[in-house]
Structure formats: structure tokens, C-alpha cells
Amino acid sequence: MYRWVSRFVSYRTFYVWRARYYYYTRHLDVWMLASVLCFLGVVALLWYYWRFSSVPLPRVHPQVAALRVEVITNEAIHRIVLVRHGGSTPGQPFTTAEDIRASTRRTMQVRQVLDGEMAWRLKANLLADIADYIEATAGCAPYQCTGVQAHISLMREAAAENAGINRALQPILEGPRDLAPGLMSVDRQRVKSGWSDSFSDIYHQAWLLNDLQTMHARMMAEYPKRAPAPWLPEWLIGPEPTTGNGMPL
């Protein structure tokens, strides 16, 4: 027997390990081996069931998240209505420095709704739950991970645009009280009258936030259907065949 392994180990090492093998297996018979295999099978089954039944608790319940999105959206719409009806004659351009600054404050308050603590905390909790889901399931079902990443990128760009507009309007409030601020720049044109700002970025952000909440709710509902060990099917039967664009067949 030694000649089969003589290339790899010495004569002494081979017989030392053979003696150890016989020492530890001298009481091992078929029934003992079958018992050990059955025990390991039961342990694996219990582990698999635990993975299947243990669903991490979300940081924010989907129904609570939906309610908060509705509150944020309604508050933004309410403040837009205040902007539209601002001034003595709604829709007419403002002429006095006081009216222009009041219009600026109302306009900035609209964007502060989606740049406030409640909105940021809600987005942070939703994204954290989605990240935990992706880690636990090794996927983004029922969505494509590329679509999830694209949506998060859109949200970041919209938040940066929102903050940039308010930064551009802030100097109007900091100027001399007795002088009417100039409204020549594109961002300052937003406060020329109550109807000068379309607030399209606000509607876009509200739409993105609502879609994020919907994505979060669907992923949380998918938790019980997830594969307890996503790597197991691939390990047993090999990787799933895909099309040219990376989608499963």
C-alpha cells in the first residue's frame, strides 16, 4: 500500500498516520457510521429549517413606512399650496423685498420636507432593510439588482439637486433688508411669483420615495419565500444557465 503514496510522504509518516487511523476507527462499525450520518442529517435539517423560518425584523414595518411616505408627501403638497397662494394677489410677480423673501422662505420650506430628519431617517431605514435582505437572500428578488442600484442612484441625485436649489436661494434671505434681491439667475426665478416654481423636482423625489417604500415592502414580503441557503442549489447542480445579458433562462 505504501508504494502508492511513496512519492508524497515518507515511510515513517505513512505508517504513523495509518496507526492513528486504526486507533480512532477500531470501534467504528456500520451501525456507528449510520448513527453518525443520521445525527448529522438531523442537525443539517434543523439548521435548514431555522434558516427558513428565521426572518430578520425590519427596522421599519412596511405599513409604518407607507404611512410616513404619505405624511411626507401630503406635507410637501400642503406647502406647495401655500406657495401658490402666497402674496396679496396669487400668481402675480412680487415687487417688494419683503414679499420676495417671504416667497423664498415658503419655497425653501417645501424642499426642506424632503431634506428633513424624518425623510432622511426613513430612507436610511428602508435602505438598511433592503441591504440586509440582499445579504440574506444573495439577490434582489423580485427585482433586478441593477434596477435597485439605479433607483438608489436616482434618489441620491434628486437629494443633491434638492439641497443645491435651497443653497442657491439662501443668499436671498441673507441680503440687506431694505433692498429687493435680484432675481436674474435660474434658481432665483423660482421665487418671482407663487407660480414661478414648478416643483417638478419635489414631485420626482416623492415618486422615488414612494417607489423605494414599495420596493422595501415587496422585499420584506419575499423573506419567507427565500432560499434558506442560496448557495446550496448551485453547489449541488452547478450554476444556473443565463442569457447573454445575464438574466436566468
Side-chain angles (χ1 to χ4, degrees):
M1 182 182 296
Y2 171 69
R3 71 175 182 271
W4 298 104
V5 294
S6 59
R7 297 181 184 180
F8 311 105
V9 296
S10 65
Y11 180 85
R12 180 179 181 278
T13 303
F14 171 76
Y15 280 99
V16 166
W17 280 102
R18 192 181 72 161
R20 289 176 179 174
Y21 170 78
Y22 284 132
Y23 175 79
Y24 288 112
T25 60
R26 66 184 186 279
H27 298 301
L28 186 64
D29 54 12
V30 175
W31 291 107
M32 180 67 71
L33 183 60
S35 301
V36 171
L37 292 178
C38 288
F39 176 76
L40 293 177
V42 170
V43 171
L45 184 62
L46 291 175
W47 173 82
Y48 197 79
Y49 177 76
W50 172 77
R51 286 281 299 171
F52 182 80
S53 60
S54 61
V55 177
L57 291 176
R59 292 168 177 80
V60 55
H61 193 278
Q63 293 181 356
V64 175
L67 182 59
R68 289 180 180 173
V69 170
E70 184 178 357
V71 169
I72 291 172
T73 303
N74 289 342
E75 180 62 21
I77 293 174
H78 171 69
R79 296 190 183 188
I80 291 175
V81 172
L82 295 179
V83 172
R84 296 285 186 253
H85 292 81
S88 56
T89 305
Q92 292 298 317
F94 300 115
T95 55
T96 66
E98 182 180 355
D99 288 343
I100 292 175
R101 289 190 173 86
S103 173
T104 302
R105 281 190 291 270
R106 289 191 295 268
T107 301
M108 293 177 66
Q109 285 171 354
V110 174
R111 291 182 171 85
Q112 286 169 356
V113 174
L114 289 164
D115 197 27
E117 181 182 358
M118 177 185 289
W120 278 104
R121 183 178 297 174
L122 176 61
K123 286 189 286 187
N125 288 333
L126 294 179
L127 291 174
D129 284 343
I130 290 174
D132 289 346
Y133 174 85
I134 294 174
E135 182 178 0
T137 62
C140 306
Y143 301 95
Q144 293 293 325
C145 288
T146 53
V148 175
Q149 293 174 350
H151 190 83
I152 294 174
S153 297
L154 288 175
M155 290 193 63
R156 290 173 178 170
E157 293 172 2
E161 179 186 7
N162 180 53
I165 293 173
N166 269 6
R167 283 196 302 269
L169 295 178
Q170 184 63 35
I172 296 178
L173 303 179
E174 299 172 352
R177 295 288 181 180
D178 55 339
L179 295 178
L183 303 179
M184 299 302 295
S185 67
V186 175
D187 286 325
R188 292 193 176 195
Q189 285 287 324
R190 299 174 183 274
V191 299
K192 187 176 181 180
S193 73
W195 287 86
S196 298
D197 196 335
S198 65
F199 293 108
S200 59
D201 59 304
I202 297 299
Y203 295 119
H204 181 56
Q205 282 192 82
W207 171 73
L208 289 174
L209 183 60
N210 182 74
D211 274 8
L212 180 66
Q213 184 274 321
T214 302
M215 185 184 301
H216 172 269
R218 291 192 62 185
M219 285 184 173
M220 296 303 103
E222 286 287 328
Y223 254 134
K225 306 174 188 177
R226 78 191 195 282
W231 47 267
L232 187 58
E234 183 175 349
W235 181 71
L236 291 175
I237 62 176
E240 182 180 7
T242 58
T243 60
N245 59 0
M247 296 288 291
L249 293 175

